[in-house]
């Protein structure tokens, strides 16, 4: 059975989601900057104290193509406790574009291919939206710095890919994703916004609200009274 994940809106963030009982974010308003996700969990386990900022995207989505350079630049401005991770939208086990992203991860070619795939689909027309793995592999092999054999091997490695495809699909499902691009912070907060800029601004507010609390500095001992001279 072919799994289906709907990508039908630019900003699903205006849609209502069920809230779970958890503390509200200080200084923010639920329903304005974010919506809480019932039972939400991060996509991947990060080191303790780190906050995951997950972008669910699709290479075939023109909005994601426009958003890609913006979130890439924005990610570089995040505080040390936050990290952006990309989550490809998954339409099924044989989704060629989701496989392409995970092949990039496996071969450490995201800097070379992530933006290049968007350009090839939406600007140059070198790749069709319904490209198969063979077409994608041929294109990737022409990109300078990409090891074609290694990329194509990763692109067709079912043993490694199927668990990743399943994990990405399940994350989008439990997060209530209905459109791309979508941003989920810490697995629990769906970011709202009516523009690319407001989406990123609100994501930053949530990231800041989840910053680790600094331990209060210990009080300095009171100075001993000066000894009286006889």
């Amino acid at each position: 059975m072919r799994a289906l994940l709907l990508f039908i809106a630019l900003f699903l963030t205006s849609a209502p989601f069920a809230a779970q009982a958890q503390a509200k974010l200080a200084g923010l308003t639920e329903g304005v900057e974010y919506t809480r996700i019932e039972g939400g969990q991060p996509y991947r386990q990060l080191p303790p104290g780190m906050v995951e900022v997950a972008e669910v995207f699709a290479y075939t989505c023109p909005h994601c193509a426009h958003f890609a350079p913006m979130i890439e630049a924005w990610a570089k401005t995040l505080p040390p406790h936050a990290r952006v991770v990309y989550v490809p939208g998954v339409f099924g086990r044989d989704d060629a574009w989701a496989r392409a992203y995970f092949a990039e991860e496996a071969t450490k070619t995201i800097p070379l291919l992530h933006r290049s795939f968007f350009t090839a689909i939406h600007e140059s027309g070198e790749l069709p939206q319904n490209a198969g793995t063979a077409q994608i592999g041929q294109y990737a092999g022409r990109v300078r710095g990409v090891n074609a054999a290694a990329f194509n091997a990763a692109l067709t490695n079912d043993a490694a890919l199927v668990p990743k495809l399943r994990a990405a699909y399940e994350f989008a499902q439990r997060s209530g994703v209905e459109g791309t691009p979508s941003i989920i912070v810490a697995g629990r907060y769906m970011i709202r916004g009516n523009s690319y800029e407001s989406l990123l601004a609100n994501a930053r507010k949530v990231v800041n609200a989840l910053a680790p609390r600094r331990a209060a500095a210990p009080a300095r001992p009171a100075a001993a009274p000066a000894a009286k001279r006889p």
Side-chain angles (χ1 to χ4, degrees), residues 145-165:
V146 175
N147 182 317
F151 183 83
N152 279 286
L155 193 60
T156 55
N157 184 350
D158 282 355
L161 284 174
V162 171
K164 294 180 180 181
L165 293 165

Side-chain angles (χ1 to χ4, degrees), residues 12-215:
L12 75 139
T13 47
S14 60
F17 290 87
Q20 62 184 16
Q22 53 185 302
K24 292 184 178 180
L25 297 177
L28 303 181
T29 303
E30 183 177 358
V32 176
E33 292 93 357
Y34 68 93
T35 303
R36 288 181 290 179
I37 301 170
E38 184 177 4
Q41 295 292 328
Y43 172 55
R44 288 179 174 168
Q45 190 68 38
L46 294 181
M50 290 291 295
V51 174
E52 176 189 83
V53 181
E55 184 211 359
V56 180
F57 75 96
Y59 280 124
T60 55
C61 166
H63 307 301
C64 298
H66 185 85
F67 192 54
M70 298 177 68
I71 192 169
E72 183 178 311
W74 179 83
K76 297 175 182 178
T77 71
L78 287 174
H81 73 274
R83 181 185 304 170
V84 168
V85 299
Y86 298 120
V87 187
V90 177
F91 288 90
R93 174 190 172 101
D94 298 321
D95 188 314
W97 285 116
R99 282 173 169 264
Y101 178 75
F102 289 125
E104 293 170 55
E105 276 194 336
T107 56
K108 303 185 186 306
T109 54
I110 292 175
L112 299 174
L113 291 172
H114 188 60
R115 293 271 298 279
S116 184
F117 282 143
F118 280 122
T119 299
I121 297 170
H122 302 284
E123 295 182 29
S124 69
E126 294 174 79
L127 285 170
Q129 292 197 2
N130 63 348
T133 52
Q135 288 173 289
I136 294 171
Q138 290 171 3
Y139 173 86
R142 297 194 299 268
V143 176
R144 186 174 182 179
V146 175
N147 182 317
F151 183 83
N152 279 286
L155 193 60
T156 55
N157 184 350
D158 282 355
L161 284 174
V162 171
K164 294 180 180 181
L165 293 165
R166 183 182 299 116
Y169 174 79
E170 291 176 351
F171 173 75
Q173 288 291 295
R174 69 174 177 262
S175 300
V177 171
E178 296 176 355
T180 55
S182 293
I183 296 180
I184 299 99
V185 176
R188 303 190 304 274
Y189 305 99
M190 177 67 73
I191 304 302
R192 300 170 66 98
N194 56 14
S195 69
Y196 301 114
E197 291 78 10
S198 64
L199 200 61
L200 292 175
N202 288 339
R204 182 60 180 263
K205 291 176 184 178
V206 172
V207 165
N208 290 345
L210 295 173
R213 294 182 179 180
R214 295 181 179 179

